[in-house]
Amino acid sequence: MQEIEKSENIKNRSIKDANIELVNSLYKAFCNLTTEINSKRNKRNEITKIIKQTKLKVSRNELVEQARILKEEIQKAEVELGKIEKEMLQEGLKIPNDTHNEVIVGGEELAKVVKIIGTPLDSAQKRGSIIKDHMTIARELDLIDLESASNVTGTSWYYLRNAGALLELSLIQYAIHKVISKGYTPIITPDVVKTEYSDGCGFQPRDGEVSQNYFVVTSPMGSVDAGNHQETSFTLTGTAEIPLAGIYSNKIIPSSQLPIRMVGFGRAFRAEAGSRGQNTKGLYRVHQFSKVEMFCLTSPEKSEEMLKEIVNIQEEIVNDLRLCFSAYRKYDMEAWMPGRGKWGEISSASNCTDYQSRRLNIRYKSPLSSSYEGTNSDAKQKQQSTEFVHTLNGTAIAVPRMIIAILENFQRDDGKISIPEVLRKWMGGMEFIG
């Protein structure tokens, strides 16, 4: 993509602090100074060789002085190079991913609905009965405790109790087994990562935003804080996507191993700074939740095919749970939540192309050129170039919102909740909650 297209993409995404011209300028300065340093290093090495061969003391002293001056110049240039590289990386991380040509420019109100499956539950279907929201149901059936969590931790934290706890565990078990059956490798991920990996995956604030990450501050007490990004070295993960991507950071993958399919389970932590109103009610927007995430590495020509695979798995999961849902391209999947009276996002799938792999340096060896007919191993190695992989991710299960959808869609007139059939074996054979 040309610079003018990059600038247009930044404008379309309404990102004000990204400056492609500055990044290009810093890159040119970085390359020029690198060339200058390498030239002086070569010159100093040549002088060093001559010094070893020179017997005249006067000549040696002159050459030693030249080498000393070059060394000082190199050291000063290296300090400047470090500053330029640091600024270049900081500014480069602000540049957003390219936008697919089918994506509509504008807010979510302009999003294109790809399909709607099922019929949203409304009061007419309940024959005049009142549709309860998930928190009303949860209180009546003793499934969620927000009050205790508020005392122990703070607002937007929660305890799941009784069948609520079993419902989370059953959703995780079901999702993991479902995705494994599609050829994905199961992985339990760490919930703490170095901040550079979170940034490399694109989880950094833009345009003066308050960070949505929780940071582990390096201090004698090892305290955890959602505070100053500059004082931190570790981050609580916002999704298992981040540690899964980190597995292959700075690695070159043989093309024969692609595609790589992983399904990770971990806790997601979101500061949710600035969130207010209806969307924060109950479990809809919380600071910590369990999440099963699909993450794949592919060659560029296979990434769209892999995106379709991920979306198909997501559709199978929602269909298995008998939920009414709609799908958008990024893709977002939204379940109908009767208690809220509107759709709520329960999963998403994205083709990040080489956005993450460039930042994390994840490459693969492309196949040998078809025109190559030699047998020499060194020559074969030269024929194989390395390219950046494409990374893709998709939510299999984000537990709290799936619980909302189940409680609100499967409520009965007698106050019980019908448990989706695919979850019952992980809930001790229970058919109903209540």
Side-chain angles (χ1 to χ4, degrees), residues 89-90 93 191-205 211-218 223-238 242-243 245-246 249 359-360:
L89 292 174
Q90 287 176 341
L93 283 171
D191 294 332
V192 177
V193 296
K194 293 178 181 177
T195 303
E196 64 194 75
Y197 289 93
S198 181
D199 288 349
C201 286
F203 290 83
Q204 79 271 11
S211 177
Q212 300 300 328
N213 293 337
Y214 283 98
F215 298 105
V216 181
V217 179
T218 304
S223 58
V224 179
D225 181 31
N228 192 332
H229 181 255
Q230 298 300 321
E231 298 177 357
T232 65
S233 56
F234 294 94
T235 305
L236 300 184
T237 58
I242 299 168
S249 178
R359 286 154 177 75
L360 297 177

Side-chain angles (χ1 to χ4, degrees), residues 17 46 76 78 116 134-135 181 184 222 235 275-276 286 308 331 342 358 360-361 372 396 400 405-406 408 418 431-432:
D17 64 346
E46 291 174 3
K76 289 180 181 178
E78 286 176 336
I116 295 178
H134 74 284
M135 284 310 301
S181 73
Y184 287 63
T235 305
S275 298
R276 295 288 186 273
V286 291
K308 292 177 183 177
Y331 292 80
K342 57 184 176 180
R358 285 181 180 274
L360 297 177
N361 193 27
Y372 179 75
I406 289 172
E408 294 187 358
S418 297
E431 296 183 19
F432 306 101

Side-chain angles (χ1 to χ4, degrees), residues 35 74 91 191 208 269 322 338 363 374 400 415:
T35 300
I74 291 170
E91 294 299 323
D191 294 332
F269 296 87
R322 298 293 185 264
R363 298 172 178 264

Side-chain angles (χ1 to χ4, degrees), residues 3 7 17-29 84 87-88 90-92 94-95:
E3 182 176 315
S7 297
D17 64 346
N19 189 332
I20 189 67
E21 291 82 7
L22 176 59
V23 174
N24 283 338
S25 175
L26 289 167
Y27 178 70
K28 289 177 183 177
I84 293 173
E87 185 180 1
M88 179 178 67
Q90 287 176 341
E91 294 299 323
K94 297 176 183 178
I95 305 300

Side-chain angles (χ1 to χ4, degrees), residues 111-160:
K112 178 183 176 182
V113 179
V114 178
K115 66 172 70 173
I116 295 178
I117 297 178
T119 302
L121 178 68
D122 58 23
S123 296
Q125 290 172 279
K126 293 286 287 180
R127 294 185 296 279
S129 299
I130 296 174
I131 293 180
K132 303 172 184 176
D133 65 33
H134 74 284
M135 284 310 301
T136 300
I137 296 169
R139 290 190 185 96
E140 291 177 355
L141 299 178
D142 194 18
L143 306 178
I144 301 170
D145 183 356
L146 292 176
E147 289 74 18
S148 296
S150 179
N151 291 332
V152 173
T153 313
T155 57
S156 297
W157 301 82
Y158 60 96
Y159 288 96
L160 291 178

Side-chain angles (χ1 to χ4, degrees), residues 160 164-174 399 426-427:
L160 291 178
L166 295 179
L167 193 54
E168 165 156 330
L169 296 173
S170 67
L171 283 165
I172 294 167
Q173 287 276 24
Y174 159 71
V399 171
W426 286 292
M427 295 192 67

Side-chain angles (χ1 to χ4, degrees), residues 57-95:
K57 187 174 181 181
V58 175
S59 297
R60 282 175 59 87
N61 289 342
E62 290 178 354
L63 291 170
V64 168
E65 178 63 13
Q66 290 179 29
R68 185 191 66 78
I69 293 172
L70 281 171
K71 182 179 179 180
E72 288 181 355
E73 290 177 351
I74 291 170
Q75 288 174 338
K76 289 180 181 178
E78 286 176 336
V79 171
E80 181 62 22
L81 185 68
K83 293 178 180 178
I84 293 173
E85 182 179 25
K86 182 179 180 180
E87 185 180 1
M88 179 178 67
L89 292 174
Q90 287 176 341
E91 294 299 323
L93 283 171
K94 297 176 183 178
I95 305 300

